[in-house]
Amino acid sequence: MTPMEKAGWTPLPHSDEDLERSKSVPDTPQTRAETYRLAWNDPDFMTRRELRAVRLQLELLKPEMILAERGIRSTVILFGGARIPEPDGEAWAAKNETQKKNLEKNSKYYEEARKFARLCSQQSATSYYREFVVVTGGGPGVMEAGNRGADDVGAPSIGLNIVLPHEQAPNAYVTPELCFNFHYFAVRKMHFVMRAKAVAVFPGGFGTMDEFFETLTLIQTGRMERVPVILFGKAFWKRAIDLDFLAEQGTITPGDQDIIDFVDTADEAWGIISRFYQL
């Protein structure tokens, strides 16, 4: 099916047709001028600060259209540290022996994330991969484990990458046609939660904390429906955050802690989701 057939017939030329026609004009000083470029095909124009609102729209719209065309209705988010290695893998991010020891110890969460993603993807298969599709940040560590678990059972999975100062390629297990890249953190976060039926959070650093607490805030304030929010690693999270202390201090409402479930294994986590949705 041609782009014209997909979009519906019109007597007017489609933008893709005019783009091709614009490439075949004679080479003159006028046609080489930046001003002659079609506005939406002009990188210098599209990256101007005044066009920020347009770029925000495009970053929201592109993944939304592609996921909708694919028929994906719901997802399961896997948040977690990029630095956590797979079992017997190199703790490449360690800066000292203590970090090396702890990262290697926490590699068990790579395996649990991979197993959890397999369980989600097996359920997803019953809806022809429209429900409970695994989505990660597309990078290494826990994110890789999530996409890898889906790949283990032949399921598609989504990767929402972001441009960072240091080079980071998407992990090799993201489904290529569901691998996205973002400039705006805010829009990327929207795509994480817009279809989320469950949120699984593994040990991680500032990025993981940011995504976790933003999700909690959306649920606590009623801006997002209640969905299972599951923290993997009871011992890790009991030291990393103290929600009981916040409740004692009055900065959250007693009972807000109950938004979260703590688990150590993929089977525990999937049990929570299964009971919540009566699967």
Side-chain angles (χ1 to χ4, degrees), residues 229-272:
V229 178
I230 304 166
L231 295 185
F232 275 76
K234 296 174 185 176
F236 177 91
W237 289 109
K238 290 296 183 184
R239 286 201 61 185
I241 59 173
D242 191 342
L243 297 182
D244 291 333
F245 175 75
L246 295 182
E248 289 170 5
Q249 297 300 307
T251 55
I252 63 173
T253 301
D256 280 346
Q257 309 99 302
D258 299 335
I259 295 173
I260 305 163
D261 289 291
F262 293 86
V263 303
D264 284 317
T265 69
D267 288 326
E268 289 177 87
W270 184 249
I272 291 168

Side-chain angles (χ1 to χ4, degrees), residues 77 79 162 184-194 196 199 201 205-225 227 229 231 237 241 243 259-260:
I77 307 171
F79 291 139
I162 191 152
Y184 296 106
F185 264 105
V187 180
R188 178 176 179 255
K189 288 177 181 178
M190 288 184 66
H191 278 293
F192 269 124
V193 300
M194 281 168 63
V199 182
V201 188
F206 290 157
T208 301
M209 297 284 189
D210 173 51
E211 292 156 342
F212 165 53
F213 277 105
E214 187 145 21
T215 305
L216 280 188
T217 302
L218 289 171
I219 294 173
Q220 183 204 45
T221 57
R223 296 292 298 174
M224 177 179 175
E225 285 190 27
V227 301
V229 178
L231 295 185
W237 289 109
I241 59 173
L243 297 182
I259 295 173
I260 305 163

Side-chain angles (χ1 to χ4, degrees), residues 56-92:
L56 284 161
Q57 273 189 299
L58 292 173
E59 285 211 342
L60 182 64
L61 192 58
K62 180 181 177 180
E64 176 66 17
M65 290 175 62
I66 292 171
L67 294 176
E69 288 168 358
R70 183 88 176 211
I72 294 174
R73 296 190 292 257
S74 72
T75 58
V76 177
I77 307 171
L78 273 73
F79 291 139
R83 306 179 185 201
I84 292 179
E86 64 179 304
D88 300 320
E90 179 189 1
W92 56 269

Side-chain angles (χ1 to χ4, degrees), residues 2-226:
T2 67
M4 182 179 289
E5 289 171 330
K6 288 178 68 175
W9 183 84
T10 172
L12 303 174
H14 282 253
S15 55
D16 58 338
E17 295 172 321
D18 270 358
L19 178 59
E20 289 306 310
R21 289 170 183 162
S22 72
K23 295 175 183 177
S24 62
V25 297
D27 182 24
T28 70
Q30 290 76 23
T31 61
R32 288 196 297 270
E34 293 181 5
T35 51
Y36 185 76
R37 298 174 188 164
L38 290 166
W40 40 268
N41 193 46
D42 182 351
D44 294 325
F45 176 68
M46 287 299 296
T47 53
R48 287 179 59 153
R49 291 192 175 186
E50 297 91 335
L51 272 288
R52 179 176 290 147
V54 175
R55 293 194 301 273
L56 284 161
Q57 273 189 299
L58 292 173
E59 285 211 342
L60 182 64
L61 192 58
K62 180 181 177 180
E64 176 66 17
M65 290 175 62
I66 292 171
L67 294 176
E69 288 168 358
R70 183 88 176 211
I72 294 174
R73 296 190 292 257
S74 72
T75 58
V76 177
I77 307 171
L78 273 73
F79 291 139
R83 306 179 185 201
I84 292 179
E86 64 179 304
D88 300 320
E90 179 189 1
W92 56 269
K95 304 301 182 186
N96 53 53
E97 283 302 312
T98 299
Q99 288 197 343
K100 182 176 184 295
K101 179 186 72 174
N102 286 325
L103 284 170
E104 289 173 350
K105 180 181 177 182
N106 286 330
S107 67
K108 62 187 177 184
Y109 296 115
Y110 182 106
E111 198 55 45
E112 289 303 323
R114 185 176 176 181
K115 183 178 179 181
F116 177 68
R118 286 200 296 266
L119 293 172
C120 295
S121 299
Q122 287 164 349
Q123 175 65 35
S124 183
T126 66
S127 65
Y128 302 99
Y129 304 115
R130 293 186 177 94
E131 306 280 356
F132 296 100
V133 178
V134 167
V135 57
T136 81
V142 166
M143 295 174 280
E144 176 186 283
N147 297 115
R148 187 174 181 179
D151 187 68
D152 287 340
V153 293
S157 66
I158 304 164
L160 304 181
N161 292 82
I162 191 152
V163 178
L164 297 173
H166 52 278
E167 184 178 350
Q168 177 182 298
N171 71 67
Y173 302 100
V174 180
T175 301
E177 59 269 28
L178 297 176
C179 187
F180 302 98
N181 201 17
F182 292 86
H183 172 67
Y184 296 106
F185 264 105
V187 180
R188 178 176 179 255
K189 288 177 181 178
M190 288 184 66
H191 278 293
F192 269 124
V193 300
M194 281 168 63
R195 290 175 168 82
K197 273 194 171 177
V199 182
V201 188
F202 293 79
F206 290 157
T208 301
M209 297 284 189
D210 173 51
E211 292 156 342
F212 165 53
F213 277 105
E214 187 145 21
T215 305
L216 280 188
T217 302
L218 289 171
I219 294 173
Q220 183 204 45
T221 57
R223 296 292 298 174
M224 177 179 175
E225 285 190 27
R226 180 77 177 266

